[in-house]
């Protein structure tokens, strides 16, 4: 670990420790102000004077949310935040020094949070307009009745300072998870945090963070990434070179799992994102059922932290397909992409490609991100073809064998082969490593695609003859 990583981890741990004391502050306005000031201090410790990138972008985005017409605020704010993210990553072109690595993560989270508020406000405004049509008798036949909440109305009068406080709340400011403005507001306006099992959940997450960090350090010591790019590595056998993709992406996953567990600890210790079981809270979104009436007897409820859970490690590792694995990885960010990009993109035909491109852009401009994320889309295409061909109707022992074949393919190509490109970052490194194993992942993908299409065509022809 370099010095930036050490400072980053120490700041995360300090945020975890602060939660116990922040939760005890009775005055909600004071709690909100302290949370914001502490968040700014943490960002400054990590970023130095590069904190001004974060402040400027958050203020620009907040101004767009507040002063641009609600029908366009989501598009304008999205452009502003993602354009600034691009500028942030290219500051060296304009003669500025590059910000530290951890600041990039802070800027990424800010981009989602501020533009997320704009999308929430625009969506609420549309619902309010639709309600006005209903009340004036202009509702078209077959249209569903729109449900309006107080939150939808309140969003229309949100101000810049509220968005700024939301953006720099110390909970999640370093590495997420992404959470809606509604979740942030609920934390200060509901008593759920006082009755949730905060310490128990935090201890549980800390245990897993310790396990993942030990696995990360051990694997990184035994199979360093630098060795994969050395001349000595090229002299090893093909099987060893190909096998090396397994520890390489394992190291990356353990590092990410450690960070995500610690970021969840920041939330759980403060009681942030705690909702009663009856509210049916889900990752990123929060409650899907009415929940404010549960405040009356909050002490009698059972609570969970589903809203801020960002990864299901067991499911990621044990699921059989890449499509399923992607649903359990970085869940809160995927929620943001699904709600704000996938569902709102005007062309259904290209919405998947647009979502993946947005995700790649958000992760960075490095070739490895595009090799990995766009490659995942290609892998899932082949996976879906073979799912219909051999897995969908299989049962018993045959299904079990096919499941494990799918799991191996997902782990070997979907995770490790494509994930190694994400870790290697540059095109030169990726090409060098992939060439050393003869681009076997792409060769396998092409062969399975062609064979799958041929067998699908043959299967269709046979079914038509039976008819």
């Amino acid at each position: 670990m370099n010095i930036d990583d050490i400072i980053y981890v120490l700041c995360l741990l300090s945020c975890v420790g602060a939660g116990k004391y922040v939760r005890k502050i009775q005055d909600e306005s004071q709690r909100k102000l302290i949370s914001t000031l502490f968040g700014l201090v943490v960002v400054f410790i990590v970023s130095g004077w590069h904190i001004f990138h974060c402040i400027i972008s958050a203020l620009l985005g907040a101004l767009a949310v507040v002063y641009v017409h609600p029908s366009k605020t989501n598009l304008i704010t999205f452009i502003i935040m993602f354009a600034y993210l691009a500028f942030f990553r290219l500051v060296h072109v304009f003669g500025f020094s590059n910000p530290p690595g951890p600041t990039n993560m802070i800027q990424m989270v800010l981009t989602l949070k501020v533009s997320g508020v704009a999308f929430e406000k625009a969506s609420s405004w549309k619902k309010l307009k639709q309600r006005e049509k209903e009340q004036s008798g202009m509702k078209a036949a077959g249209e569903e009745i729109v449900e309006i909440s107080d939150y939808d109305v309140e969003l229309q009068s949100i101000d810049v300072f509220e968005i700024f406080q939301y953006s720099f709340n110390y909970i999640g400011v370093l590495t997420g998870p992404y959470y809606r403005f509604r979740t942030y507001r609920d934390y200060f306006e509901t008593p759920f945090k006082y009755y949730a099992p905060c310490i128990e959940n935090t201890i549980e997450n800390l245990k897993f963070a310790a396990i993942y960090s030990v696995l990360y350090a051990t694997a990184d010591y035994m199979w360093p990434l630098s060795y994969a790019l050395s001349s000595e590595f090229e002299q090893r056998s093909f099987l060893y070179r190909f096998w090396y993709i397994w520890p390489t992406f394992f190291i990356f996953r353990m590092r990410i799992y450690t960070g995500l567990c610690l970021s969840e600890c920041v939330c759980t210790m403060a009681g942030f994102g705690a909702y009663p079981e009856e509210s049916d809270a889900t990752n990123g979104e929060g409650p899907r059922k009415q929940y404010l009436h549960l405040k009356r007897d909050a002490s009698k409820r059972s609570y969970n932290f589903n809203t801020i859970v960002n990864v299901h490690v067991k499911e990621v590792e044990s699921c059989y397909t890449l499509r399923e694995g992607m649903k359990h990885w970085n869940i809160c960010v995927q929620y943001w992409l699904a709600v704000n990009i996938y569902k709102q993109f005007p062309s259904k035909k290209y919405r998947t490609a647009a979502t993946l491109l947005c995700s790649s852009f958000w992760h960075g401009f490095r070739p490895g991100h595009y090799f990995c994320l766009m490659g995942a889309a290609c892998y899932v295409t082949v996976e879906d073809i073979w799912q219909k061909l051999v897995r969908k109707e299989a049962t018993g022992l045959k299904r079990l064998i096919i499941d494990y074949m799918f799991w191996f393919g997902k782990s070997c190509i979907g995770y490790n082969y494509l994930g190694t490109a994400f870790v290697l970052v540059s095109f030169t490194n990726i090409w060098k490593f992939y060439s050393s194993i003869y681009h076997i992942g792409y060769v396998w993908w092409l062969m399975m695609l062609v064979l799958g299409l041929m067998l699908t065509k043959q299967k269709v022809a046979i079914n038509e003859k039976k008819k």
Side-chain angles (χ1 to χ4, degrees):
M1 296 178 70
N2 57 38
I3 188 65
D4 285 343
D5 287 338
I6 293 171
I7 293 173
Y8 194 68
V9 171
L10 289 176
C11 285
L12 265 177
L13 292 173
S14 70
C15 289
V16 175
K20 180 180 178 181
Y21 303 98
V22 170
R23 184 159 36 92
K24 293 179 179 179
I25 300 173
Q26 296 299 314
D27 184 86
E28 298 297 348
S29 298
Q30 185 181 8
R31 184 206 309 268
K32 192 178 291 187
L33 182 60
I34 289 174
S35 296
T36 304
L37 292 174
F38 184 45
L40 287 168
V41 170
V42 168
V43 175
F44 179 75
I45 291 172
V46 169
S47 309
W49 295 110
H50 294 286
I51 188 178
F52 284 111
H53 284 296
C54 305
I55 292 174
I56 291 169
S57 63
L59 287 175
L60 288 174
L63 288 169
V65 174
V66 173
Y67 294 109
V68 174
H69 192 273
S71 63
K72 298 177 182 177
T73 187
N74 54 339
L75 179 61
I76 300 301
T77 307
F78 175 86
I79 292 172
I80 289 172
M81 296 307 297
F82 275 81
Y84 199 96
L85 183 62
F87 167 74
F88 171 83
R89 287 168 172 161
L90 297 172
V91 289
H92 59 278
V93 176
F94 302 94
F96 299 102
S97 60
N98 283 317
T103 311
N104 180 58
M105 189 68 239
I106 296 170
Q107 189 66 44
M108 290 168 71
V109 175
L110 273 176
T111 300
L112 298 186
K113 289 171 77 172
V114 177
S115 54
V117 175
F119 278 105
E120 285 191 69
K121 183 178 180 180
S123 177
S124 295
W125 178 82
K126 288 178 183 177
K127 288 198 290 184
L128 291 169
K129 285 297 177 184
Q130 202 167 337
R131 172 57 63 88
E132 288 180 10
K133 286 173 62 179
E134 290 174 2
Q135 292 175 343
S136 62
M138 297 174 62
K139 177 178 174 289
E143 283 187 359
E144 294 183 3
I145 296 176
V146 179
E147 293 185 10
I148 302 295
S149 66
D150 292 338
Y151 178 66
D152 293 314
V153 178
E154 291 166 7
L155 267 179
Q156 306 311 307
S157 58
I158 192 172
D159 61 42
V160 172
F161 188 58
E162 285 180 295
I163 299 173
F164 186 84
Q165 287 188 304
Y166 163 65
S167 301
F168 290 99
N169 178 33
Y170 84 93
I171 300 172
V173 74
L174 282 175
T175 186
Y178 166 77
Y179 49 82
R180 297 173 61 190
F181 181 75
R182 185 184 70 171
T183 305
Y184 170 78
R185 187 201 64 170
D186 285 344
Y187 177 66
F188 295 100
E189 297 182 3
T190 62
F192 303 144
K193 54 186 168 288
Y194 299 121
Y195 306 105
C198 301
I199 295 177
E200 295 88 336
N201 277 267
T202 302
I203 292 173
E204 189 69 14
N205 277 326
L206 283 174
K207 288 178 182 177
F208 282 108
I211 293 170
Y212 299 141
S213 63
V214 170
L215 290 172
Y216 159 71
T218 303
D220 189 47
Y221 176 77
M222 295 178 67
W223 301 288
L225 179 63
S226 57
Y227 182 66
L229 301 172
S230 65
S231 56
E232 183 183 346
F233 181 78
E234 296 175 2
Q235 307 304 315
R236 304 297 293 258
S237 67
F238 165 76
L239 287 177
Y240 182 86
R241 296 198 303 270
F242 179 66
W243 169 84
Y244 212 79
I245 63 175
W246 290 79
T248 296
F249 196 58
F250 175 82
I251 293 166
F252 175 79
R253 294 203 306 280
M254 293 307 109
R255 179 186 174 98
I256 295 298
Y257 292 161
T258 302
L260 292 179
C261 278
L262 288 176
S263 67
E264 286 182 22
C265 288
V266 175
C267 298
T268 56
M269 182 58 86
F272 189 94
Y275 285 101
E277 295 281 357
E278 297 92 328
S279 68
D280 190 25
T282 187
N283 313 102
E285 181 178 359
R288 291 183 289 188
K289 295 180 180 179
Q290 295 294 329
Y291 63 99
L292 292 178
H293 65 283
L294 301 174
K295 294 190 295 183
R296 288 193 295 270
D297 51 356
S299 61
K300 300 178 182 179
R301 308 290 174 180
S302 296
Y303 294 88
N304 64 56
F305 287 93
N306 291 345
T307 302
I308 52 84
V309 173
N310 209 16
V311 64
H312 297 144
V313 175
K314 182 180 177 181
E315 286 76 7
V316 170
E317 298 296 331
S318 63
C319 67
Y320 297 116
T321 64
L322 179 61
R323 181 179 290 281
E324 187 181 352
M326 289 166 63
K327 292 178 182 179
H328 299 291
W329 175 275
N330 218 357
I331 310 170
C332 296
V333 172
Q334 290 206 54
Y335 164 78
W336 186 96
L337 289 166
V339 171
N340 300 320
I341 306 299
Y342 183 83
K343 291 183 179 179
Q344 301 205 31
F345 196 74
S347 171
K348 290 186 178 180
K349 184 178 180 181
Y350 299 108
R351 57 172 42 167
T352 299
T355 304
L356 286 168
L357 278 172
C358 180
S359 177
S360 300
F361 185 93
W362 180 73
H363 278 92
F365 300 148
R366 294 172 174 177
H369 301 152
Y370 293 85
F371 269 88
C372 179
L373 296 172
M374 302 310 291
C378 296
Y379 181 88
V380 167
T381 302
V382 171
E383 194 176 65
D384 289 344
I385 291 172
W386 284 90
Q387 166 81 11
K388 294 177 182 177
L389 276 173
V390 301
R391 187 168 181 257
K392 187 176 181 181
E393 299 175 359
T395 58
L397 180 61
K398 181 181 178 182
R399 174 59 182 256
L400 185 63
I401 294 171
I402 291 173
D403 280 345
Y404 280 105
M405 290 174 67
F406 267 72
W407 176 87
F408 183 80
K410 173 217 71 174
S411 301
C412 187
I413 306 299
Y415 282 0
N416 298 320
Y417 185 83
L418 295 175
T420 297
F422 195 97
V423 176
L424 290 172
V425 177
S426 72
F427 179 82
T428 303
N429 288 343
I430 295 167
W431 190 260
K432 180 180 180 181
F433 182 81
Y434 278 180
S435 296
S436 73
I437 54 176
Y438 310 113
H439 301 276
I440 191 171
Y442 295 128
V443 173
W444 177 90
W445 175 82
L446 184 61
M447 288 174 57
M448 296 300 288
L449 176 64
V450 172
L451 181 59
L453 291 174
M454 289 173 60
L455 291 176
T456 300
K457 187 177 180 181
Q458 186 180 21
K459 187 177 181 180
V460 171
I462 292 172
N463 289 337
E464 287 179 352
K465 285 184 180 180
K466 287 181 180 180
K467 292 178 182 179

